[in-house]
Each structure stands twice: as structure tokens, then as C-alpha cells.
Amino acid sequence: MIREDPLVDGEERVLMGFLRIRSWRLVALALVTFTTLVGTPGVGSAHQGSSQGTTLPGFASVAQVLTSVRAATRETHFPPSITPSFSVLESGAAFGDQSLVHSACRQPIAPRWSSIAHCTFGDTSARTTVALVGDSRARMYLDAMNTLGKLEHFRVVYLALSACPTALGDFATNLGVPVATPWALCNTFHTFTLHAVNRLRPTLTLVMSDNEIWLTKPFHQAAPAEVVTDMEKYYNGFSDKQRTLVFVNYPQPGEVHTPDLCLSKLPSNIQQCSFVPSAKVTANDTAQRTAAQRARVGIVDERAWYCASTCPAIVHGTVVYTPDSYHTTYAYTMYLLGALWARIAPYLR
């Protein structure tokens, strides 16, 4: 368990190794920079947002999202127009990370305090802080969280490394295609994020991550039992589990289907582009949920935001998945903004 006590002995050496700073004078300078740009760690205040309760004016409610998803599983005709368009999907601009692309937050985030200071979004002057932790699943929600933070007056501290799921294990390098070489950055990154979150003490921590883990010693894809073990170890590292929410049950189509490719063929019945998650995806989703339950952190089940009897490719005129079939489009994360707010608002009141 990572502690919040003043750093002593081994803990001091670990943090110093992450920071790569050789004197306490430079540590102080780094923390001053972090405090100036991100705010004082551990300082919170009553959330002052624009919404009433858990309803976000101008955005679909949870009930409306669920109704739209159910309706989408019965729709057969292509809608008159879709968002994003095929041209936007093809250009790669449908991913919800433009606030990151146009920021000073360097990618990948180096495991040191000074790098975190530049990775702050939403209402950066707010005293309420939400830590967004994970891999590219966190990145795909960043623009939506940036918008939500500005609307509801909380800042978002972004701590994510693409292709590096939130687990503690001996990760294999995965920069699109996993290889047997140990991935040093991934192996240290999430340990650092635990230190960072526990020092920052945010009002709420959101963990959004894939559960497909590639390990070395030997090189292999983790079985569900290993997913449980390694993810549980990570979740147990958070000092405030009551204010940690893990997002689970994302219906990744990539194992069995490519919805956007199907849509591009303009099928006469768009239900041909719907899918049901594979047995492998379901097994890993169950493992991730089990890990969260064992660690006694909060859980947000995403499945109903995407699927009913099947998982449609278009909901409410919005294309749900990016062309890689592993992520959600920015447009659909924005459609989910009200549902997302309904889940996190109680923790920010």
C-alpha cells in the first residue's frame, strides 16, 4: 500500500528515483511549480457547479441515453446524417484528445511532478480536483472531462499512458503491437501515478483503462486470473478508495468486429454493424470488475451506455466507435456527458 505519511527511508528513495532530482532544493522547486500550476495538494472546497443535483442541463440524462441505446438496437435504416462524418473518422480527428494535443502536457507523461503540472484541464482555477488516471481509455474521455470540468468548475489532472493498462506487473512493450521486450516506462508509470494521486489527494479519482495486459517472463497475454491479481494490486495502492471510481465493462468491439468499416459499406440494415462482445473481452471485463470489488473501490459499469441486447454502431445519430474499434468517438463521449456527470456528481458535492 502506498502511504500518505511523510516520505521516509525506502519511500524517499523511490520518489527521488521517479523525480530524478538529486537535491531537496530542486524537489522544493518542482513542488512549487506543481503547486502553482495544479494547486495545493489536499486542499479542497465545496463544489460550486452550474447543474442541479446530478442532472446536467442541455445534455442527455442517463434515462435518455439508455432509451437511445435500446432504440438503436432496433433501428434498421441509416440515419439522414451522422456525427462524426466518414471524412472526420477517416482523418483520425474523431478521438477526444484535442485538449491534450493543443496543451503543454507532453506525451508520454514523464514520471515526475513537473510534468503533471502541465497536464491540468477543466477549470484550472478550481479547488475541486478530479484525477483522470489510466491509458488511452482515459485519453478518449479527456475532452469530455475537460468540458465537464469547465461547466461544473473542477480541474482535471490527467495521468495516463496509452497502451499501459492500470495494473502492477512486468509489462511487455506495446506501442501498437506487443513485443517481448520489457517496457520500463509502463512498469514504473502506474507506481508513480499512485504516489502522485496519494500526494495530490484529489476530491475524486477516475480510473479508465483497458484490461488487455501483455506481460513478460514469459511473454504472454495475461489470463483473467492474472488480470485480477495485477489490477487489484494497483487499485489497492490508492489511499482513498472511497473516492476512487473504476470504469469497467467497456464493450470493446475490436476482438470480433469493426463497426466503422461495416458502416462505410452503407449496409441496407445497419444492424449488420452491431455486435456482441467476445467471450475473451467478457472474461477480462469480469476480471477487472472482480479486481475492483476485491480492492473495495467504486465501480462505474459502462456497458448500458453502449449496449442493450446488442451493441449498436450508431446511437442517436452518433457513430459510437473510432476506426480502430478500441475506443469511443469524441462525439459519443460528449453525448454521454450527462450520464458521466450523474455518476461522479455525488462525489463532488
Side-chain angles (χ1 to χ4, degrees), residues 35-65:
T35 301
T36 301
L37 294 175
V38 177
T40 305
V43 175
S45 63
H47 171 72
Q48 299 294 327
S50 60
S51 64
Q52 298 296 319
T54 59
T55 301
L56 192 65
F59 292 89
S61 66
V62 174
Q64 289 170 327
V65 168

Side-chain angles (χ1 to χ4, degrees), residues 317-333:
T318 305
V319 177
V320 178
Y321 301 98
T322 55
D324 66 3
S325 298
Y326 283 84
H327 301 93
T328 305
T329 62
Y330 164 68
Y332 196 67
T333 63

Side-chain angles (χ1 to χ4, degrees), residues 128-209:
T128 300
T129 300
V130 174
L132 179 58
V133 178
D135 57 10
S136 57
R137 294 279 166 79
R139 184 167 179 158
M140 79 184 188
Y141 273 110
L142 179 58
D143 284 355
M145 288 297 299
N146 182 46
T147 298
L148 191 53
K150 290 177 179 178
L151 288 172
E152 292 301 322
H153 305 297
F154 61 84
R155 65 174 175 241
V156 179
V157 177
Y158 176 73
L159 291 164
L161 177 62
S162 293
C164 182
T166 50
L168 296 180
D170 295 316
F171 281 82
T173 300
N174 187 357
L175 302 177
V177 177
V179 295
T181 307
W183 193 2
L185 178 58
C186 185
N187 286 334
T188 59
F189 181 77
H190 287 311
T191 305
F192 170 73
T193 63
L194 291 172
H195 278 282
V197 169
N198 291 339
R199 288 290 299 271
L200 179 63
R201 288 182 290 171
T203 311
L204 178 64
T205 299
L206 304 180
V207 183
M208 300 177 176
S209 169

Side-chain angles (χ1 to χ4, degrees), residues 14-252:
V14 169
L15 184 58
M16 291 294 283
F18 283 129
L19 295 175
R20 298 176 183 174
I21 294 175
R22 298 183 181 276
S23 74
W24 283 108
R25 180 176 298 176
L26 290 178
V27 170
L29 178 60
L31 289 175
V32 166
T33 302
F34 177 73
T35 301
T36 301
L37 294 175
V38 177
T40 305
V43 175
S45 63
H47 171 72
Q48 299 294 327
S50 60
S51 64
Q52 298 296 319
T54 59
T55 301
L56 192 65
F59 292 89
S61 66
V62 174
Q64 289 170 327
V65 168
L66 301 187
T67 297
S68 293
V69 171
R70 288 193 295 268
T73 64
R74 299 187 296 269
E75 182 60 60
T76 59
H77 298 292
F78 220 97
S81 63
I82 58 172
T83 303
S85 65
F86 284 129
S87 60
V88 171
L89 287 166
E90 185 178 4
S91 72
F95 200 80
D97 65 349
Q98 292 306 296
S99 52
L100 178 65
V101 171
H102 298 292
S103 75
C105 182
R106 294 184 179 180
Q107 295 297 301
I109 299 173
R112 54 178 177 266
W113 282 108
S114 58
S115 64
I116 301 173
H118 296 287
C119 298
T120 307
F121 302 90
D123 183 350
T124 57
S125 65
R127 299 182 70 190
T128 300
T129 300
V130 174
L132 179 58
V133 178
D135 57 10
S136 57
R137 294 279 166 79
R139 184 167 179 158
M140 79 184 188
Y141 273 110
L142 179 58
D143 284 355
M145 288 297 299
N146 182 46
T147 298
L148 191 53
K150 290 177 179 178
L151 288 172
E152 292 301 322
H153 305 297
F154 61 84
R155 65 174 175 241
V156 179
V157 177
Y158 176 73
L159 291 164
L161 177 62
S162 293
C164 182
T166 50
L168 296 180
D170 295 316
F171 281 82
T173 300
N174 187 357
L175 302 177
V177 177
V179 295
T181 307
W183 193 2
L185 178 58
C186 185
N187 286 334
T188 59
F189 181 77
H190 287 311
T191 305
F192 170 73
T193 63
L194 291 172
H195 278 282
V197 169
N198 291 339
R199 288 290 299 271
L200 179 63
R201 288 182 290 171
T203 311
L204 178 64
T205 299
L206 304 180
V207 183
M208 300 177 176
S209 169
D210 189 12
N211 47 43
E212 185 177 293
I213 302 172
W214 286 88
L215 301 172
T216 57
K217 303 177 184 178
F219 174 58
H220 68 288
Q221 186 173 353
E226 294 174 292
V227 173
V228 172
T229 298
D230 290 353
M231 287 195 151
E232 182 183 0
K233 283 192 294 186
Y234 181 77
Y235 302 150
N236 275 328
F238 290 109
S239 60
D240 191 351
K241 295 182 185 180
Q242 293 185 343
R243 289 191 170 273
T244 300
L245 290 177
V246 176
F247 283 60
V248 304
N249 224 8
Y250 180 78
Q252 175 178 297

